[in-house]
Amino acid sequence: MTIQWFPGHMQETEKFLKKAVSSVDTIMEILDARLPYSSANPLLDKICKNVFRLKILNKQDLADPDVTLSWLHHYRDIGENAIAVTGTSPVETWRAAEYALAGINRSKSRRIRVMVAGIPNTGKSTIMNSLAGKKIAKTGNTPAITRHQQRTSLKKQIDIYDTPGILWPILENKNGAYRLAVSGAISDTAIDYSDIAMFAIALMIKRYPERLKQRYGISIQEPENSQSADFEETEPLKILEEIGTTRGCLKKGGVIDYQKASELFIRELRAGKLGRISFETNQEAMEEQKALLEEWKSQVQYNDLTSTK
């Protein structure tokens, strides 16, 4: 499955960001703590490279704490600024805001301009509401709820700007695209629940098998070679069938309703019903990034050779 989702308003947001970045003092880039690499928009690296930027790993209450700590160490090691928060906590969000402000030269003669940016459904509006102490921005589990720029005046001489979430037109990293779909960053109308459920179950088997057993009361077979193609294809399907059976996702005659079972599993996973789970580690992300770079280099060399013929 190739996932592409780039609504028209996102193109307008990209144009707006390029224009607005020059007038802000600092940028709070909101990432999903469960998948910091996949939820980071590479467009921001180009658009925001001359402005102090703080990466905020939001939804840390849903992520594996050990993996989140590893990500924070990774960002520190490569010289990037990062902090993990739970967006519904005003104490944590204000600590992040103070961190962002500490990276700039503040002037008491004017208000400080802070931009909140990131891909859909990472919790930008939730953080805005926590900072304001009231509901000023729409929130929800549907990506791209924010459609236009929103400016709010906060205490401590701060003006904060919320922007619509933007994805990039083509998601080159297949695994990253699947992780985004599992997390809810991509509209459900652009995905196949059964497809992403199989991907997510395979991830759970690899990293958190006990969570599956505890939540659904099912058994997981571990053959000698759990990396075999047969196992990777058949075991997730078997578990999805068991989830469908135990949760009553059945059609007439006791036939399993795969779509219903898939939706149930994905919604429970997103809501944290299976515990604090991270969808990627920094080691995996760096390996994928390296592989994509090698693939890009090979494609460039191929294009150069063919263009000379």
Side-chain angles (χ1 to χ4, degrees), residues 25-41:
D25 298 294
T26 185
I27 296 169
M28 297 168 63
E29 179 186 4
I30 315 303
L31 308 176
D32 189 323
R34 298 168 296 177
L35 56 158
Y37 170 67
S38 297
S39 61
N41 191 329

Side-chain angles (χ1 to χ4, degrees), residues 201-212:
I201 291 173
L203 183 149
M204 292 294 294
I205 293 172
K206 177 182 177 182
R207 194 168 296 156
Y208 306 101
E210 292 302 320
R211 307 284 181 86
L212 285 171

Side-chain angles (χ1 to χ4, degrees), residues 23 27 29 53 71 79 86 108 121 138 158 170 185 190 193 200 209 233 240 247-248 265-267 269 274 283 290:
S23 64
I27 296 169
E29 179 186 4
R53 179 163 46 129
W71 272 106
T86 299
K108 295 182 179 180
N121 208 32
K138 293 181 180 179
I158 299 171
I170 300 176
Y193 264 105
E233 290 182 7
L240 182 61
R247 290 304 180 88
F265 171 71
I266 291 298
R267 295 191 190 285
L269 183 65
L274 282 85
Q283 293 91 344
K290 182 179 179 180

Side-chain angles (χ1 to χ4, degrees), residues 14 21 50 57 76 95 105 107 199 201 210 231 270:
E14 181 182 350
V21 161
N50 295 321
L57 279 59
R76 180 198 62 195
R95 184 166 65 244
N105 294 320
S107 172
F199 173 86
I201 291 173
E210 292 302 320
F231 176 80
R270 290 174 179 173

